[in-house]
Amino acid sequence: MARMPAVRTVHVCQQCGAESPRWSGQCPSCQAWNTLVETVVARPTTVAARGRQRGALTALPVGTISPITDVSSAEAQRLVSGIGEVDRVLGGGFVPGSIVLFGGDPGIGKSTLLLQLAARLANARGSVLYVTGEESAAQVRGRAERIGAVTGGLGLVATTELSTALGAIESEAPILAVVDSVQTLASDALSGPAGSVGQVREVAARLAEAAKTGRTCVALVGHVTKEGTVAGPRTLEHLVDAVIYLEGERLGSTRLIRAAKNRFGSTDEVGVLEMRSDGLMEVSDASRFFLESEQPPVAGSAITIALEGTRPLAVEIQALVAPSGGGSPRRATTGIDVNRVLMLIAVLARHAGLNLTGHDVYVNVAGGLRIEEPAADLAVAMALASSLRERPVRAGTVLAGELSLAGRIRQATRADRRLAEARRLGFETLITGTAHGGGADRDVHLVTATDVREAVRLALEVA
Ligand code: TYD
Ligand code: MG
């Protein structure tokens, strides 16, 4: 390693910022435990930086300052992969010179997705590099054969050395470099093992630098730990331009992608993919995808039109209410906050006369989706009421509205978009709350209820 730069490292406390030359379990300054992380000391390399060190002022090169009136806002042309769900979540494709972190549980499909993206872009746009530290080149080739990703213009580099990866990116200058994964590469400037906090951060920082200087887009793969953070520390997130999570239940085939951070787009969009034997495929009608049950409707099921980013999705909420065998009743949920469900149970008891005190309650969002928005309240409450009463929600009905503690229903935001989606899918009725400022909509398909008792009547009882 003749080119290896003489770098110095220190151990920086992540809590108080104190530096120590050696690692120790406890910070000598603030006494916190396990907070020291080995970090490369940045060497001043520019003329200006060296000048600053000497305490001298340096004359700025001509052109350093641009009048804002002369700066163009047009961004570089994005790399559009053609996998629409991914492009949309990215904000319209990859931005050249940016670094994007793809996080997710082991086995969820990160390598598969990135190999697909790599092959698509190699085919359509130019040379792409796939750096694999986790698997051998032969293993990657094997996967590529299964998913149809063997294509000219896609180069493989099997290495666990950061310097090799950086060298390949510099000499090849690809439009996209996939690095799989951040936990398997290591810089020889640091003594810590690959995957340690200091290494992970150094790898990401150096790759971000390489992306910017070479106008290459770097797609960095990172495993999520059980605590839900990428590579242990959340601190990795500020080093990259976007963080995209791939999620889903491992045994199910649905995969959702969403941005936790995106400098070049919204973080509200969600992409829906399906894991097949030949890779991750786009779902042709994502909205229908989250509807599990067949008509006629069964007791304990209610459908809401959720808004995920700009996209409306019809989602089925399933509830099971059963008498508990003594002791404290169970309340378990998948895909929805259990505290929200506890609140809805209380609202149903107080304002609709539906008492679930002696019942176990299970609520599930179909298709592995996770719902955060309060507009799903009404559908959850009606699924619970439906299961308790053993009576299905009326056929052709969807629900969207937020419930207040007083049992009032507030109309869901952007009710018009939800209504349009309900129509497109062939539903006849959307039950929601009255819009802010009253004034019920007279649309025949839009039925408004003011409170939860009225909603139960409208949703469950025959007219
Ligand atoms: P992988 O992309 O290796 O996951 P990650 O990189 O996130 O750890 O995918 C792992 C799983 O996906 C593996 O259990 C097999 C399955 N799979 C498919 O179902 N279809 C496919 O076409 C491929 C390549 C993998
Ligand atoms: Mg992998």
Side-chain angles (χ1 to χ4, degrees), residues 389-444:
R389 290 262 190 99
E390 295 179 42
R391 181 174 212 141
V393 170
R394 274 197 227 184
T397 301
V398 286
L399 305 119
E402 180 181 348
L403 280 182
S404 76
L405 288 175
R408 292 284 185 177
I409 305 168
R410 225 166 297 150
Q411 187 170 92
T413 52
R414 290 183 276 183
D416 51 331
R417 299 209 47 177
R418 300 180 203 253
L419 186 62
E421 182 66 4
R423 277 219 186 90
R424 190 182 72 80
L425 294 170
F427 292 104
E428 288 146 25
T429 312
L430 171 69
I431 302 179
T432 183
T434 45
H436 295 287
D441 201 310
R442 286 292 105 207
D443 192 301
V444 281

Side-chain angles (χ1 to χ4, degrees), residues 23 29 52 69 74 103 106 123 159 174 195 221 228 281 335-336 362 381 393 418 437 448 456:
W23 187 86
S29 176
R52 262 201 307 281
T69 47
N123 247 333
T159 185
V221 174
M281 298 297 149
I336 190 158
Y362 302 91
V393 170
R418 300 180 203 253
T448 56
V456 171

Side-chain angles (χ1 to χ4, degrees), residues 105-113 134-135 143 146-147 180 223 250 275-280:
D105 288 319
I108 203 74
K110 300 180 295 297
S111 301
T112 306
L113 179 65
E134 204 137 288
E135 294 157 308
R143 175 182 294 124
R146 276 199 302 285
I147 63 177
D180 189 0
H223 295 298
R250 242 191 85 128
M275 183 61 102
R276 307 242 186 92
S277 58
D278 52 349
L280 285 155

Side-chain angles (χ1 to χ4, degrees), residues 158-368:
T159 185
T160 53
E161 280 171 20
L162 175 64
S163 54
T164 308
L166 289 170
I169 292 171
E170 197 186 313
S171 63
E172 214 31 47
I175 52 165
L176 172 73
V178 175
V179 178
D180 189 0
S181 64
V182 67
Q183 279 102 346
T184 51
L185 289 199
S187 159
D188 40 20
L190 296 175
S191 56
S196 63
V197 177
Q199 284 287 6
V200 159
R201 223 191 269 176
E202 175 71 2
V203 168
R206 298 294 303 279
L207 285 168
E209 225 173 78
K212 219 154 277 156
T213 36
R215 306 301 296 153
T216 284
C217 178
V218 173
L220 193 56
V221 174
H223 295 298
V224 171
T225 63
K226 271 278 171 287
E227 296 75 48
T229 57
V230 168
R234 261 271 143 76
T235 44
L236 199 53
E237 293 192 358
H238 78 263
L239 290 171
V240 298
D241 296 306
V243 181
I244 308 287
Y245 281 103
L246 187 59
E247 31 186 77
E249 278 148 53
R250 242 191 85 128
L251 298 178
S253 62
T254 314
R255 295 291 180 271
L256 301 171
I257 47 170
R258 52 174 100 234
K261 160 182 175 170
N262 194 349
R263 271 191 196 142
F264 310 112
S266 143
T267 52
D268 292 332
E269 297 293 340
V270 54
V272 185
L273 298 163
E274 194 180 1
M275 183 61 102
R276 307 242 186 92
S277 58
D278 52 349
L280 285 155
M281 298 297 149
E282 292 189 71
V283 170
S284 58
D285 190 350
S287 200
R288 247 178 258 276
F289 201 74
F290 296 101
L291 295 176
E292 268 178 13
S293 60
E294 304 290 319
Q295 301 289 338
V298 292
S301 155
I303 298 164
T304 189
I305 308 282
L307 271 184
E308 289 286 342
T310 57
R311 169 199 276 178
L313 288 177
V315 179
E316 183 182 336
I317 312 284
Q318 300 162 346
L320 176 64
V321 168
S324 48
S328 53
R330 284 198 52 124
R331 273 94 177 84
T333 64
T334 336
I336 190 158
D337 181 17
V338 69
N339 290 314
R340 195 78 197 172
V341 173
L342 294 179
M343 182 207 107
L344 296 174
I345 291 172
V347 170
L348 280 171
R350 184 82 166 73
H351 301 288
L354 297 174
N355 198 333
L356 294 170
T357 316
H359 289 78
D360 290 340
V361 171
Y362 302 91
V363 176
N364 176 38
V365 178

